[in-house]
Amino acid sequence: MIKDSSDTVQLEGKTYLIENPIQMKSGVTLQGVAGKTTFLLKENANWEKWVPLIDGNSLKNVRITGIIFDMKSDKQQVPYAEGYHNVMYLKGCSDVEIDGCTFINGRGDGARFKSCTNVKVHDNTARRLGHDGIFVVDCRDVNIYNNKVTTRKNAGIRNWNSANVRIHENSIDAQLDGKGGYAGIQIEYSKYFENPDIEISNNVLTKTWGPGAQLIAYTDGLEINKGVLIKQNEFLQCGQSNNIVDTGGISIKGLDGAEIIDNVCDGCYNAFVYVSSGGDGTLIKGNTIKNTKPHIEKALAGTGAGIVNSAGSTLEISGNSFSNNANGDTYNVN
């Protein structure tokens, strides 16, 4: 338990064995010595579902910095990706900063937030986790940047029903041993927003297992028709999976009206943009799309083209540069 609620808790550069969850308090900076302070979860920590290593509810002005979180997944008995052993789970908090941390060997998420505002997550590393690296749910005013994430079970960075989110300058790849996870960046909406105001920019997505970026909408989210901008990113050999159907550079599954502008796609599998449902009003402009290859295993219609419109959606395509794509520039595009 952190008892000082108005100051910095300076940790030593050593390994701390964590036997019980840590309850954060408002006004606290939990500061480690970069590269030296490690929180090591005890073996067989059979905590209840949704009990994280660091917990926080309705807090203000919280910072966690410079700590390696080793969740020791190979020595745990709880299931992967079912809400157990998230490194941190902050709910209803405001003015939160997570930086300079490492999240490794987990059975849940790295940093997870719900109904939080003014959140900054930057300069962290995440790998060998059991769910998402960074996951924001029903949040507002979120800035996620300069993180290095390697997926293993699900997405690298994921947004579900959040607004005013900036995801930029991150580097995302996959484990590539058959447990590579899913999307590099996953944007998901089941609620309606007139303008969710999402910007994904200047990220480098390399050899992701599923799509580099995935745009999902269902139920009330199907009414969204603007507010997601994907610009100036690099999608390099994305879509390494042999079984994910919508793998590739950018997958659209239900979300309308995205703007995909000035990105570089080089050597992605299946397609740069693969539309399986929704997608009406999507703008695809000024992108460099080259060396696209067919899906590694599945014989999908149009696979290997630069843009594949399996849904027959109305797309606006202009000013792109296409070269050396295995099945041509576009498929099922008027």
Side-chain angles (χ1 to χ4, degrees):
M1 174 73 73
I2 296 174
K3 297 181 179 179
D4 188 341
S5 61
S6 60
D7 208 346
T8 297
V9 176
Q10 180 63 59
L11 301 165
E12 297 179 36
K14 66 178 186 180
T15 297
Y16 294 82
L17 181 64
I18 306 301
E19 298 184 346
N20 297 292
I22 296 170
Q23 298 292 327
M24 286 293 290
K25 291 185 177 294
S26 292
V28 168
T29 294
L30 186 60
Q31 181 169 317
V33 178
K36 296 182 179 180
T37 300
T38 299
F39 281 10
L40 181 66
L41 183 62
K42 69 176 182 179
E43 296 183 13
N44 299 314
N46 292 315
W47 298 347
E48 296 294 323
K49 184 181 287 192
W50 304 119
V51 174
L53 191 153
I54 291 186
D55 199 2
N57 294 277
S58 302
L59 307 179
K60 295 181 179 179
N61 299 316
V62 171
R63 184 184 179 201
I64 300 171
T65 181
I67 303 173
I68 300 168
F69 295 92
D70 187 342
M71 304 299 284
K72 213 167 177 62
S73 59
D74 293 342
K75 299 295 183 179
Q76 308 298 339
Q77 303 303 315
V78 299
Y80 284 95
E82 293 188 16
Y84 294 95
H85 291 187
N86 296 321
V87 176
M88 59 184 68
Y89 191 8
L90 304 181
K91 294 141 286 187
C93 300
S94 61
D95 301 312
V96 176
E97 183 172 11
I98 310 297
D99 64 286
C101 294
T102 298
F103 312 119
I104 56 174
N105 303 326
R107 296 213 168 198
D109 298 312
R112 184 180 180 114
F113 308 87
K114 182 174 175 59
S115 302
C116 295
T117 59
N118 193 20
V119 175
K120 293 197 296 184
V121 186
H122 63 94
D123 295 285
N124 303 286
T125 299
R127 62 183 184 273
R128 287 185 55 80
L129 296 177
H131 197 234
D132 301 312
I134 301 165
F135 188 10
V136 294
V137 183
D138 294 324
C139 295
R140 295 189 65 89
D141 304 325
V142 178
N143 196 358
I144 301 172
Y145 62 96
N146 204 33
N147 301 283
K148 173 68 173 71
V149 183
T150 298
T151 62
R152 176 168 73 158
K153 287 289 185 180
N154 202 46
I157 299 171
R158 182 178 176 189
N159 157 46
W160 187 10
N161 291 332
S162 299
N164 190 18
V165 178
R166 300 292 179 266
I167 301 172
H168 57 104
E169 279 89 31
N170 300 285
S171 176
I172 302 176
D173 59 12
Q175 193 165 300
L176 295 183
D177 60 355
K179 299 178 180 179
Y182 203 11
I185 298 172
Q186 183 173 320
I187 305 299
E188 181 178 1
Y189 285 98
S190 59
K191 298 178 181 179
Y192 173 72
F193 291 79
E194 181 178 356
N195 183 357
D197 191 16
I198 306 299
E199 183 176 301
I200 300 168
S201 62
N202 298 298
N203 302 283
V204 179
L205 300 114
T206 306
K207 293 185 176 181
T208 56
W209 194 241
Q214 186 180 51
L215 310 180
I216 301 173
Y218 49 95
T219 60
D220 291 345
L222 294 171
E223 300 301 317
I224 296 172
N225 58 21
K226 64 178 180 180
V228 175
L229 173 62
I230 302 176
K231 70 173 185 178
Q232 298 175 346
N233 303 280
E234 294 183 50
F235 296 87
L236 308 176
Q237 301 179 58
C238 294
Q240 298 278 328
S241 170
N242 61 357
N243 61 355
I244 297 173
V245 172
D246 68 322
T247 197
I250 298 173
S251 162
I252 298 178
K253 299 181 70 174
L255 187 71
D256 292 339
E259 296 178 278
I260 301 171
I261 300 174
D262 294 337
N263 302 280
V264 173
C265 168
D266 189 353
C268 289
Y269 291 89
N270 201 27
F272 167 47
V273 178
Y274 187 85
V275 185
S276 57
S277 64
D280 283 331
T282 299
L283 173 64
I284 305 172
K285 180 179 179 181
N287 302 282
T288 299
I289 305 169
K290 58 186 179 179
N291 302 319
T292 307
K293 304 171 186 178
H295 195 289
I296 286 178
E297 183 169 306
K298 295 186 178 297
L300 304 170
T303 185
I307 300 170
V308 177
N309 187 11
S310 293
S313 308
T314 301
L315 310 177
E316 182 179 343
I317 300 173
S318 66
N320 300 284
S321 171
F322 296 91
S323 62
N324 198 35
N325 299 301
N327 199 24
D329 297 346
T330 62
Y331 173 79
N332 199 29
V333 171
N334 293 323

